[in-house]
Amino acid sequence: MTATQVRAIRAGDKLLGRVAFVTGGTRGIGAAICRSLASQGADVAAGYSGNQEAAEAFARDFSSTFPDRHVTVHRGDIGSADDCRRCVDEVIDQHGRLDILVNNAGITVDRTVLKMVDEDWRRVIDVNLSGAFYLSQAALIHMLERGSGRIVVISSVIGETGGIGQVNYASAKSGLFGLTKTLAREAAMQLRRAGRTDGIGVTVNAVTPGYIGTEMLDAVPEKVLDGLRAKIPLGRLGQPDEVARVVHFLAADASSYITGQVWGVNGGLDM
């Protein structure tokens, strides 16, 4: 990447001095979110589940693109409460603070209801829903003590519409809406009780991507992708950067009056 491109990526200072932890942050939408947050000045901690070599390659590439930003990578199983809490502690220990948590990590195990076994259900719920709770709980303790913070939950349009063969995924992603709204209410309540209502506060919001052009769609036949595009009013797949820009908007200090909301980034799919 040329110096000109790097300067273009560094688009502003809305998040200068902030630290963001993005789960599933080394690839796809998560990696785009990391880059978008860094483009606004944030230091970044990226979570990953297993591929250490790929995570280290991400960190090297990130550092070369954003040489003035501090990046770390953190390995853990988002379905494990202990791992979630350990990773949050690691981020705070290595960066000194945690301002932004993006619950992006997720998995799919697709089968129709009658063919789904118990483990298929449990694993997707554990990672996609319970993990977001464990991470948010740990981050909120730190954020409420400091009186400021941002939590952004990455759900999915499938949580709104359902999806054949995705009862576990749709249920988890739909559950994130209730999690988001309840966390938002409780964070606001705790700050009011502490008399801390004059700062940027602690907000919790959700983003629901539609069909986004990431490696998850690489194995989908072109004929099927054509069918998906035909359902989308804008007639195309989304790009990871289009999701990431909404996340960095919600993370900014100026978005302090937005909480408990669900932001669709889906080309109009759910209109």
Side-chain angles (χ1 to χ4, degrees), residues 38-165:
S39 78
Q40 294 296 322
D43 291 331
V44 169
Y48 70 101
S49 61
N51 192 333
Q52 184 172 345
E53 184 178 345
E56 291 173 350
F58 163 83
R60 288 193 299 271
D61 180 68
F62 186 97
S63 293
S64 66
T65 304
F66 302 99
D68 57 342
R69 302 270 53 87
H70 180 204
V71 61
T72 56
V73 292
H74 304 266
R75 183 174 183 172
D77 175 6
I78 298 301
S80 161
D82 289 342
D83 267 16
C84 288
R85 292 162 186 149
R86 174 184 56 77
C87 285
V88 169
D89 288 343
E90 279 183 7
V91 173
I92 295 170
D93 181 59
Q94 295 182 29
H95 289 265
R97 59 191 291 159
L98 175 58
D99 302 281
I100 303 158
L101 169 67
V102 183
N103 287 311
N104 170 72
I107 62 170
T108 58
V109 182
D110 293 352
R111 288 185 178 84
T112 56
V113 171
L114 298 183
K115 294 181 179 179
M116 186 164 290
V117 299
D118 294 350
E119 181 56 25
D120 298 336
W121 171 267
R122 279 195 299 265
R123 184 58 181 161
V124 171
I125 297 294
D126 285 349
V127 172
N128 294 11
L129 179 57
S130 297
F133 166 74
Y134 302 138
L135 288 157
S136 298
Q137 183 185 52
L140 268 178
I141 294 170
H142 176 73
M143 291 175 178
L144 290 171
E145 286 177 351
R146 296 177 53 244
S148 64
R150 299 283 184 263
I151 296 176
V152 182
V153 177
I154 307 301
S155 181
S156 169
V157 70
I158 298 300
E160 299 171 300
T161 65
I164 292 174

Side-chain angles (χ1 to χ4, degrees), residues 204-216:
V204 188
N205 291 285
V207 176
T208 59
Y211 294 108
I212 307 299
T214 68
E215 62 189 49
M216 288 184 69

Side-chain angles (χ1 to χ4, degrees), residues 29-47:
I29 291 174
I33 291 170
C34 288
R35 291 192 295 268
S36 189
L37 295 171
S39 78
Q40 294 296 322
D43 291 331
V44 169

